[in-house]
Amino acid sequence: GDAARGASRPSVAGRTTSAHLRWGTYPVHASMRGHVVRVHPGDRIDGRYLVYEQTDENWGVVGWRARDEVLGRYVLLTTFHPDDPRARSLVASARDAANVTDHRFVRVLDAHIDRPTGFLVREWTTGQTLADLLGSGPLDDDGARTICQNVAEALQRAHDKGQHHLCLDPSSVWITPDGEVRVRGLGTAAVLRGVQPSAAGPARDDAVGVGRLLYAALTGKVPDQTSSPLPVVSMVDDHLPAPRQVRAGVSPLLDAVAVRALGSGRTHRYPPYSTPGEVADALRRVGGEDVDARRPVVTTNHHARSGDVVDLATPPARTRRPALDPAVPAPNAPIVEPADRGTEPPRRRPWMRMA
């Protein structure tokens, strides 16, 4: 049936493995072959969620637009087989993610392992993914900065609660019709894809994820292969080119933030950012200290190469160049004047002629 389609072995880091089989275009645990639970429009899950239509199918789970008949609202319903070896970890991660109350995360409303199907319920999000927006071209500097600043701030709040994402890419970030930034997959995406924190730690991994978003927003291309449909940038002399090398006109400040977040610079004067909060701080300095991170991000005209103007609030005037390093004072900090030297005579210089 459907589970038997495309049972070829995928290549992982140059090797083939039988740990997963292909279901459609996405990997499914081999132990679940032939045990895929099929839900159909019109079905009622848990006696409460009326299924309307399928929205996606990846990583062995299926997403649906459904209606919560108790509260009278649309929800995103994700179904999976209750015997899936990831099921318990998936539900546990979803419940932990629900403790992060930042409005920029898509909230988890319900999660159960039940028969005939396990399910997660999240709030319904309208709008477009960042990947969809970038399909028409890169964003301008202000749009890219503000979106990534929102994501970085939200991730730092998640890390403060002991949660991480690990799988951040343009497909996991949504822009709502009123310009709000929403992040999907906190805690759950890593479980579904079998991703573990690297040796550098989850905070550094998510800082790299924000750098990946910023790189894509500035160039329209991703620096490495992700689940998004965007093209992968070509290497230059076996090194990742900086955003300014990919697209002309990119702000040198944002270019430096992206390179430092990714840790891809060959001659950068500062070490890579170690947390999403450090990336957020750098982006705030680029935009000005009094930038409201919750203001609308993108409305209609948002693409840099189209010649349209981004509909964003005008950033405050800056009196001097913002610093990228957290140790450097903020751009609006008072400038300390040198001490008064009083009546001290000027120092003689070798070229001064004496009377």
Side-chain angles (χ1 to χ4, degrees), residues 102-106 149-150 153-154 157 181-183 293-294:
D102 192 286
H103 72 284
R104 288 165 287 202
F105 288 112
V106 176
Q149 180 181 324
N150 274 272
E153 290 173 345
R157 293 192 179 183
V181 176
R182 310 300 298 276
V183 181
R294 297 183 58 179

Side-chain angles (χ1 to χ4, degrees), residues 152-153 155-156 159-160 200-211 260-261 271-282 326:
E153 290 173 345
L155 283 174
Q156 186 57 51
H159 279 267
D160 292 342
R204 170 61 189 151
D205 293 342
D206 278 343
V208 172
V210 177
R260 189 173 170 191
Y273 298 117
S274 59
T275 67
E278 291 185 0
V279 184
D281 290 343

Side-chain angles (χ1 to χ4, degrees), residues 188-308:
T188 57
V191 173
L192 289 175
R193 304 182 192 186
V195 176
Q196 296 294 328
S198 69
R204 170 61 189 151
D205 293 342
D206 278 343
V208 172
V210 177
R212 187 182 298 117
L213 290 182
L214 183 58
Y215 193 102
L218 293 172
T219 66
K221 299 181 180 181
V222 290
D224 52 19
Q225 187 63 54
T226 66
S227 61
S228 71
L230 297 174
V232 181
V233 70
S234 300
M235 295 292 172
V236 176
D237 296 331
D238 295 327
H239 290 276
L240 179 69
R244 297 181 72 193
Q245 295 177 277
V246 179
R247 182 175 73 85
V250 172
S251 161
L253 294 175
L254 291 178
D255 181 272
V257 172
V259 168
R260 189 173 170 191
L262 290 169
S264 59
R266 287 177 279 182
T267 59
H268 206 281
R269 61 181 297 186
Y270 298 122
Y273 298 117
S274 59
T275 67
E278 291 185 0
V279 184
D281 290 343
L283 292 173
R284 273 194 294 268
R285 281 190 295 275
V286 171
E289 282 295 320
D290 56 346
V291 170
D292 180 3
R294 297 183 58 179
R295 65 190 173 93
V297 179
V298 176
T299 53
T300 54
N301 299 325
H302 54 271
H303 292 110
R305 70 180 184 186
S306 67
D308 294 331

